[in-house]
Amino acid sequence: MAHRASVVCVGSAILDTIALVDRLPGEDQRVEADQVVIAGGGNASTSAVAIARLGVDVEFSGIVGDDEAGATVLAQLEAEGVGTSLVERRAGVETSHSVVVVSRESGARAILTRPAVTPDRIPSGFDWVHVDKAGYRALAQGGRISSAVSLDDGNPVPGLDLNLIDLYVPTAIVLRERFPGQSAEDGAREALRLGTTTVVATDGAHGSFAATRDQLVHSPGLPITPLSTLGAGDVFHGALLAAIVLGKPLQEAIRFANVTAALSCRALDGRSGIPDRTEVEAALSDLP
């Protein structure tokens, strides 16, 4: 079955309740929130929103509940231009929800989440399939597919088979955890040896790097004072795929993704600060 979009993001769609506080509370402590917002979240679905905001057609595939939260999640995706024809609203399932506390002082956050339900299958007919932790479980059940596959390994995926992945996108921290005693760059080389084609690792404000069997390239982060880093990794994944679909070479693609993710940190939630392509292209001139 063919689709108008070249990318489908498979996995979690979540409703976030986010509180901004001066500092994160300790055990048995009470702090007052300066601001509380309810917004869409979830790894794969936020990546889809970033792709749509950047002007690339995208679908989201996942499972939400047949409840009010599920209706809200779908309405938010549709308002962003994300296709939702592959979303199942399942009776008896509660839509995933997270409670997020963000520190104004550092931009750090604490997250409590009810995990998303694993999708039943990976849709076919797309050039690219992007999966998060929930989406990977569906991928692993079916094995290798004909579409190119991108993986969000920011929240480490257990039982990972890199032979299923074309574009592997962990954090530098996850790379060092997966390959103890090695630098992030050496860990990337090991991931290539284990079967993936391209590794792109994010390292927060330090930027990112990309590794293939033929090259290793670095790109700095865009200097910014974040209000919140919630969703920045998900935005990076979406922007990276959008850049690839738009035909940008690898080093330009990671620069593009760095800037998009950095600009998204100016909002408390993980989506409302995501820039469009015009704003990203303008900000690229500020990146060394």
PDB file of all heavy atoms in Angstrom, residues 108-148:
ATOM      1  N   ALA A 108      16.835  21.083  33.676  1.00  0.00           N
ATOM      2  CA  ALA A 108      16.713  19.633  33.843  1.00  0.00           C
ATOM      3  C   ALA A 108      15.281  19.270  34.188  1.00  0.00           C
ATOM      4  O   ALA A 108      14.495  20.113  34.635  1.00  0.00           O
ATOM      5  CB  ALA A 108      17.660  19.151  34.937  1.00  0.00           C
ATOM      6  N   ARG A 109      14.940  17.980  33.975  1.00  0.00           N
ATOM      7  CA  ARG A 109      13.570  17.574  34.268  1.00  0.00           C
ATOM      8  C   ARG A 109      13.542  16.188  34.882  1.00  0.00           C
ATOM      9  O   ARG A 109      14.454  15.387  34.706  1.00  0.00           O
ATOM     10  CB  ARG A 109      12.699  17.627  33.019  1.00  0.00           C
ATOM     11  CG  ARG A 109      12.898  16.525  32.011  1.00  0.00           C
ATOM     12  CD  ARG A 109      13.948  16.818  30.987  1.00  0.00           C
ATOM     13  NE  ARG A 109      13.971  15.794  29.958  1.00  0.00           N
ATOM     14  CZ  ARG A 109      14.883  15.698  29.015  1.00  0.00           C
ATOM     15  NH1 ARG A 109      15.850  16.565  28.950  1.00  0.00           N
ATOM     16  NH2 ARG A 109      14.827  14.749  28.109  1.00  0.00           N
ATOM     17  N   ALA A 110      12.460  15.913  35.599  1.00  0.00           N
ATOM     18  CA  ALA A 110      12.159  14.578  36.112  1.00  0.00           C
ATOM     19  C   ALA A 110      10.861  14.135  35.461  1.00  0.00           C
ATOM     20  O   ALA A 110       9.907  14.918  35.368  1.00  0.00           O
ATOM     21  CB  ALA A 110      12.023  14.605  37.630  1.00  0.00           C
ATOM     22  N   ILE A 111      10.815  12.882  34.999  1.00  0.00           N
ATOM     23  CA  ILE A 111       9.671  12.404  34.227  1.00  0.00           C
ATOM     24  C   ILE A 111       9.120  11.126  34.838  1.00  0.00           C
ATOM     25  O   ILE A 111       9.863  10.179  35.091  1.00  0.00           O
ATOM     26  CB  ILE A 111      10.060  12.138  32.752  1.00  0.00           C
ATOM     27  CG1 ILE A 111      10.643  13.405  32.110  1.00  0.00           C
ATOM     28  CG2 ILE A 111       8.868  11.641  31.959  1.00  0.00           C
ATOM     29  CD1 ILE A 111      11.161  13.196  30.708  1.00  0.00           C
ATOM     30  N   LEU A 112       7.812  11.116  35.069  1.00  0.00           N
ATOM     31  CA  LEU A 112       7.099   9.907  35.463  1.00  0.00           C
ATOM     32  C   LEU A 112       6.155   9.573  34.322  1.00  0.00           C
ATOM     33  O   LEU A 112       5.367  10.420  33.904  1.00  0.00           O
ATOM     34  CB  LEU A 112       6.300  10.142  36.753  1.00  0.00           C
ATOM     35  CG  LEU A 112       7.074  10.670  37.965  1.00  0.00           C
ATOM     36  CD1 LEU A 112       6.114  11.007  39.090  1.00  0.00           C
ATOM     37  CD2 LEU A 112       8.091   9.649  38.425  1.00  0.00           C
ATOM     38  N   THR A 113       6.222   8.359  33.795  1.00  0.00           N
ATOM     39  CA  THR A 113       5.430   8.060  32.611  1.00  0.00           C
ATOM     40  C   THR A 113       4.785   6.688  32.676  1.00  0.00           C
ATOM     41  O   THR A 113       5.356   5.756  33.270  1.00  0.00           O
ATOM     42  CB  THR A 113       6.303   8.161  31.336  1.00  0.00           C
ATOM     43  OG1 THR A 113       5.473   8.089  30.184  1.00  0.00           O
ATOM     44  CG2 THR A 113       7.345   7.061  31.279  1.00  0.00           C
ATOM     45  N   ARG A 114       3.591   6.590  32.114  1.00  0.00           N
ATOM     46  CA  ARG A 114       2.950   5.305  31.899  1.00  0.00           C
ATOM     47  C   ARG A 114       3.288   4.884  30.463  1.00  0.00           C
ATOM     48  O   ARG A 114       2.916   5.568  29.515  1.00  0.00           O
ATOM     49  CB  ARG A 114       1.438   5.416  32.074  1.00  0.00           C
ATOM     50  CG  ARG A 114       0.711   4.073  31.916  1.00  0.00           C
ATOM     51  CD  ARG A 114      -0.756   4.192  32.297  1.00  0.00           C
ATOM     52  NE  ARG A 114      -1.467   5.156  31.484  1.00  0.00           N
ATOM     53  CZ  ARG A 114      -2.311   6.057  31.960  1.00  0.00           C
ATOM     54  NH1 ARG A 114      -2.548   6.141  33.240  1.00  0.00           N
ATOM     55  NH2 ARG A 114      -2.938   6.894  31.151  1.00  0.00           N
ATOM     56  N   PRO A 115       4.010   3.786  30.274  1.00  0.00           N
ATOM     57  CA  PRO A 115       4.512   3.433  28.938  1.00  0.00           C
ATOM     58  C   PRO A 115       3.395   3.248  27.921  1.00  0.00           C
ATOM     59  O   PRO A 115       2.274   2.860  28.250  1.00  0.00           O
ATOM     60  CB  PRO A 115       5.260   2.113  29.180  1.00  0.00           C
ATOM     61  CG  PRO A 115       5.575   2.108  30.636  1.00  0.00           C
ATOM     62  CD  PRO A 115       4.448   2.834  31.304  1.00  0.00           C
ATOM     63  N   ALA A 116       3.746   3.526  26.670  1.00  0.00           N
ATOM     64  CA  ALA A 116       2.796   3.354  25.573  1.00  0.00           C
ATOM     65  C   ALA A 116       2.641   1.875  25.233  1.00  0.00           C
ATOM     66  O   ALA A 116       3.529   1.056  25.484  1.00  0.00           O
ATOM     67  CB  ALA A 116       3.282   4.116  24.339  1.00  0.00           C
ATOM     68  N   VAL A 117       1.493   1.532  24.666  1.00  0.00           N
ATOM     69  CA  VAL A 117       1.226   0.166  24.226  1.00  0.00           C
ATOM     70  C   VAL A 117       2.039  -0.119  22.959  1.00  0.00           C
ATOM     71  O   VAL A 117       2.161   0.733  22.075  1.00  0.00           O
ATOM     72  CB  VAL A 117      -0.276  -0.023  23.931  1.00  0.00           C
ATOM     73  CG1 VAL A 117      -0.565  -1.406  23.365  1.00  0.00           C
ATOM     74  CG2 VAL A 117      -1.091   0.222  25.203  1.00  0.00           C
ATOM     75  N   THR A 118       2.600  -1.319  22.866  1.00  0.00           N
ATOM     76  CA  THR A 118       3.382  -1.707  21.691  1.00  0.00           C
ATOM     77  C   THR A 118       2.472  -1.836  20.473  1.00  0.00           C
ATOM     78  O   THR A 118       1.471  -2.554  20.523  1.00  0.00           O
ATOM     79  CB  THR A 118       4.088  -3.052  21.931  1.00  0.00           C
ATOM     80  OG1 THR A 118       4.968  -2.925  23.048  1.00  0.00           O
ATOM     81  CG2 THR A 118       4.892  -3.476  20.704  1.00  0.00           C
ATOM     82  N   PRO A 119       2.807  -1.166  19.367  1.00  0.00           N
ATOM     83  CA  PRO A 119       2.014  -1.342  18.141  1.00  0.00           C
ATOM     84  C   PRO A 119       2.045  -2.797  17.672  1.00  0.00           C
ATOM     85  O   PRO A 119       2.996  -3.533  17.952  1.00  0.00           O
ATOM     86  CB  PRO A 119       2.710  -0.421  17.129  1.00  0.00           C
ATOM     87  CG  PRO A 119       3.458   0.571  17.970  1.00  0.00           C
ATOM     88  CD  PRO A 119       3.871  -0.173  19.200  1.00  0.00           C
ATOM     89  N   ASP A 120       1.009  -3.195  16.947  1.00  0.00           N
ATOM     90  CA  ASP A 120       0.924  -4.582  16.488  1.00  0.00           C
ATOM     91  C   ASP A 120       1.861  -4.876  15.328  1.00  0.00           C
ATOM     92  O   ASP A 120       2.293  -6.008  15.145  1.00  0.00           O
ATOM     93  CB  ASP A 120      -0.517  -4.909  16.066  1.00  0.00           C
ATOM     94  CG  ASP A 120      -1.472  -4.899  17.253  1.00  0.00           C
ATOM     95  OD1 ASP A 120      -1.018  -5.213  18.369  1.00  0.00           O
ATOM     96  OD2 ASP A 120      -2.656  -4.564  17.063  1.00  0.00           O
ATOM     97  N   ARG A 121       2.149  -3.864  14.520  1.00  0.00           N
ATOM     98  CA  ARG A 121       2.960  -4.112  13.328  1.00  0.00           C
ATOM     99  C   ARG A 121       3.623  -2.823  12.870  1.00  0.00           C
ATOM    100  O   ARG A 121       3.285  -1.733  13.339  1.00  0.00           O
ATOM    101  CB  ARG A 121       2.090  -4.653  12.195  1.00  0.00           C
ATOM    102  CG  ARG A 121       1.010  -3.690  11.725  1.00  0.00           C
ATOM    103  CD  ARG A 121       0.118  -4.239  10.640  1.00  0.00           C
ATOM    104  NE  ARG A 121      -0.848  -3.236  10.198  1.00  0.00           N
ATOM    105  CZ  ARG A 121      -0.610  -2.334   9.253  1.00  0.00           C
ATOM    106  NH1 ARG A 121       0.577  -2.324   8.649  1.00  0.00           N
ATOM    107  NH2 ARG A 121      -1.524  -1.454   8.910  1.00  0.00           N
ATOM    108  N   ILE A 122       4.548  -2.969  11.925  1.00  0.00           N
ATOM    109  CA  ILE A 122       5.190  -1.825  11.288  1.00  0.00           C
ATOM    110  C   ILE A 122       4.531  -1.613   9.921  1.00  0.00           C
ATOM    111  O   ILE A 122       4.476  -2.542   9.112  1.00  0.00           O
ATOM    112  CB  ILE A 122       6.704  -2.074  11.099  1.00  0.00           C
ATOM    113  CG1 ILE A 122       7.391  -2.288  12.451  1.00  0.00           C
ATOM    114  CG2 ILE A 122       7.340  -0.911  10.342  1.00  0.00           C
ATOM    115  CD1 ILE A 122       7.402  -1.083  13.359  1.00  0.00           C
ATOM    116  N   PRO A 123       4.024  -0.423   9.636  1.00  0.00           N
ATOM    117  CA  PRO A 123       3.382  -0.190   8.338  1.00  0.00           C
ATOM    118  C   PRO A 123       4.380  -0.325   7.184  1.00  0.00           C
ATOM    119  O   PRO A 123       5.574  -0.038   7.340  1.00  0.00           O
ATOM    120  CB  PRO A 123       2.871   1.252   8.448  1.00  0.00           C
ATOM    121  CG  PRO A 123       2.867   1.555   9.907  1.00  0.00           C
ATOM    122  CD  PRO A 123       3.963   0.757  10.507  1.00  0.00           C
ATOM    123  N   SER A 124       3.885  -0.735   6.038  1.00  0.00           N
ATOM    124  CA  SER A 124       4.729  -0.860   4.852  1.00  0.00           C
ATOM    125  C   SER A 124       4.426   0.272   3.876  1.00  0.00           C
ATOM    126  O   SER A 124       3.449   1.012   4.034  1.00  0.00           O
ATOM    127  CB  SER A 124       4.482  -2.207   4.173  1.00  0.00           C
ATOM    128  OG  SER A 124       3.122  -2.324   3.781  1.00  0.00           O
ATOM    129  N   GLY A 125       5.281   0.413   2.855  1.00  0.00           N
ATOM    130  CA  GLY A 125       5.037   1.383   1.801  1.00  0.00           C
ATOM    131  C   GLY A 125       5.679   2.736   2.013  1.00  0.00           C
ATOM    132  O   GLY A 125       5.371   3.682   1.285  1.00  0.00           O
ATOM    133  N   PHE A 126       6.583   2.859   2.988  1.00  0.00           N
ATOM    134  CA  PHE A 126       7.264   4.120   3.260  1.00  0.00           C
ATOM    135  C   PHE A 126       8.751   3.998   2.934  1.00  0.00           C
ATOM    136  O   PHE A 126       9.336   2.923   3.063  1.00  0.00           O
ATOM    137  CB  PHE A 126       7.102   4.505   4.732  1.00  0.00           C
ATOM    138  CG  PHE A 126       5.689   4.827   5.123  1.00  0.00           C
ATOM    139  CD1 PHE A 126       4.821   3.822   5.541  1.00  0.00           C
ATOM    140  CD2 PHE A 126       5.222   6.122   5.058  1.00  0.00           C
ATOM    141  CE1 PHE A 126       3.516   4.109   5.893  1.00  0.00           C
ATOM    142  CE2 PHE A 126       3.911   6.421   5.410  1.00  0.00           C
ATOM    143  CZ  PHE A 126       3.060   5.424   5.829  1.00  0.00           C
ATOM    144  N   ASP A 127       9.365   5.117   2.558  1.00  0.00           N
ATOM    145  CA  ASP A 127      10.813   5.122   2.352  1.00  0.00           C
ATOM    146  C   ASP A 127      11.535   4.941   3.686  1.00  0.00           C
ATOM    147  O   ASP A 127      12.522   4.206   3.770  1.00  0.00           O
ATOM    148  CB  ASP A 127      11.261   6.435   1.699  1.00  0.00           C
ATOM    149  CG  ASP A 127      10.709   6.611   0.300  1.00  0.00           C
ATOM    150  OD1 ASP A 127      10.472   5.587  -0.375  1.00  0.00           O
ATOM    151  OD2 ASP A 127      10.496   7.768  -0.121  1.00  0.00           O
ATOM    152  N   TRP A 128      11.045   5.637   4.720  1.00  0.00           N
ATOM    153  CA  TRP A 128      11.664   5.592   6.053  1.00  0.00           C
ATOM    154  C   TRP A 128      10.641   5.236   7.113  1.00  0.00           C
ATOM    155  O   TRP A 128       9.513   5.735   7.087  1.00  0.00           O
ATOM    156  CB  TRP A 128      12.267   6.959   6.419  1.00  0.00           C
ATOM    157  CG  TRP A 128      13.614   7.213   5.825  1.00  0.00           C
ATOM    158  CD1 TRP A 128      13.896   7.883   4.666  1.00  0.00           C
ATOM    159  CD2 TRP A 128      14.873   6.798   6.372  1.00  0.00           C
ATOM    160  NE1 TRP A 128      15.248   7.902   4.456  1.00  0.00           N
ATOM    161  CE2 TRP A 128      15.870   7.252   5.485  1.00  0.00           C
ATOM    162  CE3 TRP A 128      15.240   6.083   7.515  1.00  0.00           C
ATOM    163  CZ2 TRP A 128      17.234   7.024   5.713  1.00  0.00           C
ATOM    164  CZ3 TRP A 128      16.597   5.852   7.746  1.00  0.00           C
ATOM    165  CH2 TRP A 128      17.569   6.318   6.854  1.00  0.00           C
ATOM    166  N   VAL A 129      11.060   4.391   8.048  1.00  0.00           N
ATOM    167  CA  VAL A 129      10.297   4.094   9.255  1.00  0.00           C
ATOM    168  C   VAL A 129      11.157   4.509  10.446  1.00  0.00           C
ATOM    169  O   VAL A 129      12.297   4.041  10.587  1.00  0.00           O
ATOM    170  CB  VAL A 129       9.960   2.593   9.358  1.00  0.00           C
ATOM    171  CG1 VAL A 129       9.339   2.281  10.721  1.00  0.00           C
ATOM    172  CG2 VAL A 129       9.021   2.163   8.236  1.00  0.00           C
ATOM    173  N   HIS A 130      10.624   5.404  11.284  1.00  0.00           N
ATOM    174  CA  HIS A 130      11.340   5.828  12.487  1.00  0.00           C
ATOM    175  C   HIS A 130      10.661   5.204  13.703  1.00  0.00           C
ATOM    176  O   HIS A 130       9.442   5.345  13.870  1.00  0.00           O
ATOM    177  CB  HIS A 130      11.339   7.344  12.618  1.00  0.00           C
ATOM    178  CG  HIS A 130      11.969   7.831  13.897  1.00  0.00           C
ATOM    179  ND1 HIS A 130      13.315   7.657  14.173  1.00  0.00           N
ATOM    180  CD2 HIS A 130      11.435   8.449  14.980  1.00  0.00           C
ATOM    181  CE1 HIS A 130      13.580   8.161  15.366  1.00  0.00           C
ATOM    182  NE2 HIS A 130      12.457   8.635  15.883  1.00  0.00           N
ATOM    183  N   VAL A 131      11.425   4.502  14.536  1.00  0.00           N
ATOM    184  CA  VAL A 131      10.841   3.831  15.698  1.00  0.00           C
ATOM    185  C   VAL A 131      11.491   4.316  16.987  1.00  0.00           C
ATOM    186  O   VAL A 131      12.680   4.611  17.030  1.00  0.00           O
ATOM    187  CB  VAL A 131      10.969   2.287  15.605  1.00  0.00           C
ATOM    188  CG1 VAL A 131      10.155   1.747  14.443  1.00  0.00           C
ATOM    189  CG2 VAL A 131      12.428   1.843  15.466  1.00  0.00           C
ATOM    190  N   ASP A 132      10.678   4.403  18.036  1.00  0.00           N
ATOM    191  CA  ASP A 132      11.191   4.626  19.377  1.00  0.00           C
ATOM    192  C   ASP A 132      11.189   3.282  20.116  1.00  0.00           C
ATOM    193  O   ASP A 132      11.087   2.221  19.488  1.00  0.00           O
ATOM    194  CB  ASP A 132      10.378   5.700  20.108  1.00  0.00           C
ATOM    195  CG  ASP A 132       8.894   5.351  20.241  1.00  0.00           C
ATOM    196  OD1 ASP A 132       8.524   4.178  20.037  1.00  0.00           O
ATOM    197  OD2 ASP A 132       8.098   6.267  20.568  1.00  0.00           O
ATOM    198  N   LYS A 133      11.276   3.319  21.431  1.00  0.00           N
ATOM    199  CA  LYS A 133      11.361   2.082  22.217  1.00  0.00           C
ATOM    200  C   LYS A 133      10.139   1.195  21.994  1.00  0.00           C
ATOM    201  O   LYS A 133      10.267  -0.027  21.806  1.00  0.00           O
ATOM    202  CB  LYS A 133      11.505   2.443  23.696  1.00  0.00           C
ATOM    203  CG  LYS A 133      11.923   1.320  24.617  1.00  0.00           C
ATOM    204  CD  LYS A 133      12.202   1.884  26.006  1.00  0.00           C
ATOM    205  CE  LYS A 133      12.735   0.818  26.943  1.00  0.00           C
ATOM    206  NZ  LYS A 133      13.084   1.400  28.269  1.00  0.00           N
ATOM    207  N   ALA A 134       8.940   1.797  21.987  1.00  0.00           N
ATOM    208  CA  ALA A 134       7.712   1.023  21.756  1.00  0.00           C
ATOM    209  C   ALA A 134       7.655   0.522  20.320  1.00  0.00           C
ATOM    210  O   ALA A 134       7.277  -0.625  20.054  1.00  0.00           O
ATOM    211  CB  ALA A 134       6.483   1.870  22.080  1.00  0.00           C
ATOM    212  N   GLY A 135       8.018   1.363  19.381  1.00  0.00           N
ATOM    213  CA  GLY A 135       7.996   0.965  17.981  1.00  0.00           C
ATOM    214  C   GLY A 135       9.000  -0.129  17.667  1.00  0.00           C
ATOM    215  O   GLY A 135       8.743  -0.999  16.823  1.00  0.00           O
ATOM    216  N   TYR A 136      10.154  -0.084  18.356  1.00  0.00           N
ATOM    217  CA  TYR A 136      11.165  -1.117  18.103  1.00  0.00           C
ATOM    218  C   TYR A 136      10.646  -2.500  18.489  1.00  0.00           C
ATOM    219  O   TYR A 136      10.974  -3.499  17.828  1.00  0.00           O
ATOM    220  CB  TYR A 136      12.461  -0.823  18.863  1.00  0.00           C
ATOM    221  CG  TYR A 136      13.481  -1.927  18.653  1.00  0.00           C
ATOM    222  CD1 TYR A 136      14.254  -1.968  17.500  1.00  0.00           C
ATOM    223  CD2 TYR A 136      13.622  -2.960  19.586  1.00  0.00           C
ATOM    224  CE1 TYR A 136      15.160  -3.001  17.282  1.00  0.00           C
ATOM    225  CE2 TYR A 136      14.522  -3.989  19.371  1.00  0.00           C
ATOM    226  CZ  TYR A 136      15.285  -4.010  18.216  1.00  0.00           C
ATOM    227  OH  TYR A 136      16.160  -5.043  18.003  1.00  0.00           O
ATOM    228  N   ARG A 137       9.840  -2.576  19.543  1.00  0.00           N
ATOM    229  CA  ARG A 137       9.306  -3.880  19.940  1.00  0.00           C
ATOM    230  C   ARG A 137       8.482  -4.492  18.808  1.00  0.00           C
ATOM    231  O   ARG A 137       8.547  -5.703  18.559  1.00  0.00           O
ATOM    232  CB  ARG A 137       8.471  -3.747  21.223  1.00  0.00           C
ATOM    233  CG  ARG A 137       9.299  -3.385  22.450  1.00  0.00           C
ATOM    234  CD  ARG A 137       8.530  -3.593  23.743  1.00  0.00           C
ATOM    235  NE  ARG A 137       7.410  -2.689  23.898  1.00  0.00           N
ATOM    236  CZ  ARG A 137       7.452  -1.544  24.565  1.00  0.00           C
ATOM    237  NH1 ARG A 137       8.590  -1.142  25.120  1.00  0.00           N
ATOM    238  NH2 ARG A 137       6.377  -0.784  24.682  1.00  0.00           N
ATOM    239  N   ALA A 138       7.705  -3.659  18.110  1.00  0.00           N
ATOM    240  CA  ALA A 138       6.938  -4.145  16.959  1.00  0.00           C
ATOM    241  C   ALA A 138       7.869  -4.548  15.824  1.00  0.00           C
ATOM    242  O   ALA A 138       7.656  -5.560  15.146  1.00  0.00           O
ATOM    243  CB  ALA A 138       5.959  -3.073  16.492  1.00  0.00           C
ATOM    244  N   LEU A 139       8.922  -3.772  15.614  1.00  0.00           N
ATOM    245  CA  LEU A 139       9.895  -4.088  14.563  1.00  0.00           C
ATOM    246  C   LEU A 139      10.573  -5.430  14.838  1.00  0.00           C
ATOM    247  O   LEU A 139      10.711  -6.279  13.946  1.00  0.00           O
ATOM    248  CB  LEU A 139      10.944  -2.979  14.475  1.00  0.00           C
ATOM    249  CG  LEU A 139      12.075  -3.196  13.473  1.00  0.00           C
ATOM    250  CD1 LEU A 139      11.558  -3.094  12.046  1.00  0.00           C
ATOM    251  CD2 LEU A 139      13.202  -2.184  13.710  1.00  0.00           C
ATOM    252  N   ALA A 140      10.997  -5.642  16.088  1.00  0.00           N
ATOM    253  CA  ALA A 140      11.714  -6.866  16.441  1.00  0.00           C
ATOM    254  C   ALA A 140      10.836  -8.098  16.273  1.00  0.00           C
ATOM    255  O   ALA A 140      11.341  -9.181  15.930  1.00  0.00           O
ATOM    256  CB  ALA A 140      12.227  -6.768  17.872  1.00  0.00           C
ATOM    257  N   GLN A 141       9.542  -7.944  16.499  1.00  0.00           N
ATOM    258  CA  GLN A 141       8.632  -9.082  16.354  1.00  0.00           C
ATOM    259  C   GLN A 141       8.528  -9.542  14.899  1.00  0.00           C
ATOM    260  O   GLN A 141       8.380 -10.726  14.620  1.00  0.00           O
ATOM    261  CB  GLN A 141       7.240  -8.702  16.871  1.00  0.00           C
ATOM    262  CG  GLN A 141       7.181  -8.523  18.379  1.00  0.00           C
ATOM    263  CD  GLN A 141       5.899  -7.852  18.851  1.00  0.00           C
ATOM    264  OE1 GLN A 141       4.964  -7.649  18.071  1.00  0.00           O
ATOM    265  NE2 GLN A 141       5.856  -7.485  20.126  1.00  0.00           N
ATOM    266  N   GLY A 142       8.630  -8.588  13.958  1.00  0.00           N
ATOM    267  CA  GLY A 142       8.467  -8.925  12.547  1.00  0.00           C
ATOM    268  C   GLY A 142       9.763  -9.123  11.793  1.00  0.00           C
ATOM    269  O   GLY A 142       9.782  -9.696  10.713  1.00  0.00           O
ATOM    270  N   GLY A 143      10.873  -8.614  12.334  1.00  0.00           N
ATOM    271  CA  GLY A 143      12.160  -8.759  11.675  1.00  0.00           C
ATOM    272  C   GLY A 143      12.403  -7.677  10.635  1.00  0.00           C
ATOM    273  O   GLY A 143      11.670  -6.689  10.537  1.00  0.00           O
ATOM    274  N   ARG A 144      13.443  -7.863   9.858  1.00  0.00           N
ATOM    275  CA  ARG A 144      13.901  -6.883   8.881  1.00  0.00           C
ATOM    276  C   ARG A 144      12.798  -6.526   7.889  1.00  0.00           C
ATOM    277  O   ARG A 144      12.061  -7.399   7.422  1.00  0.00           O
ATOM    278  CB  ARG A 144      15.104  -7.443   8.126  1.00  0.00           C
ATOM    279  CG  ARG A 144      15.729  -6.469   7.114  1.00  0.00           C
ATOM    280  CD  ARG A 144      16.488  -5.355   7.790  1.00  0.00           C
ATOM    281  NE  ARG A 144      16.679  -4.211   6.918  1.00  0.00           N
ATOM    282  CZ  ARG A 144      17.467  -3.172   7.198  1.00  0.00           C
ATOM    283  NH1 ARG A 144      18.136  -3.155   8.335  1.00  0.00           N
ATOM    284  NH2 ARG A 144      17.585  -2.176   6.370  1.00  0.00           N
ATOM    285  N   ILE A 145      12.676  -5.223   7.571  1.00  0.00           N
ATOM    286  CA  ILE A 145      11.652  -4.754   6.633  1.00  0.00           C
ATOM    287  C   ILE A 145      12.327  -4.092   5.440  1.00  0.00           C
ATOM    288  O   ILE A 145      13.527  -3.822   5.446  1.00  0.00           O
ATOM    289  CB  ILE A 145      10.671  -3.780   7.311  1.00  0.00           C
ATOM    290  CG1 ILE A 145      11.415  -2.537   7.824  1.00  0.00           C
ATOM    291  CG2 ILE A 145       9.923  -4.462   8.440  1.00  0.00           C
ATOM    292  CD1 ILE A 145      10.498  -1.474   8.393  1.00  0.00           C
ATOM    293  N   SER A 146      11.525  -3.813   4.391  1.00  0.00           N
ATOM    294  CA  SER A 146      12.082  -3.249   3.167  1.00  0.00           C
ATOM    295  C   SER A 146      12.373  -1.756   3.292  1.00  0.00           C
ATOM    296  O   SER A 146      13.237  -1.229   2.588  1.00  0.00           O
ATOM    297  CB  SER A 146      11.128  -3.501   1.992  1.00  0.00           C
ATOM    298  OG  SER A 146       9.857  -2.934   2.248  1.00  0.00           O
ATOM    299  N   SER A 147      11.666  -1.047   4.155  1.00  0.00           N
ATOM    300  CA  SER A 147      11.923   0.383   4.359  1.00  0.00           C
ATOM    301  C   SER A 147      13.233   0.576   5.113  1.00  0.00           C
ATOM    302  O   SER A 147      13.669  -0.296   5.874  1.00  0.00           O
ATOM    303  CB  SER A 147      10.791   1.017   5.169  1.00  0.00           C
ATOM    304  OG  SER A 147       9.533   0.854   4.558  1.00  0.00           O
ATOM    305  N   ALA A 148      13.865   1.734   4.912  1.00  0.00           N
ATOM    306  CA  ALA A 148      14.995   2.112   5.763  1.00  0.00           C
ATOM    307  C   ALA A 148      14.458   2.433   7.159  1.00  0.00           C
ATOM    308  O   ALA A 148      13.382   3.007   7.304  1.00  0.00           O
ATOM    309  CB  ALA A 148      15.705   3.324   5.177  1.00  0.00           C
TER     310      ALA A 148
END
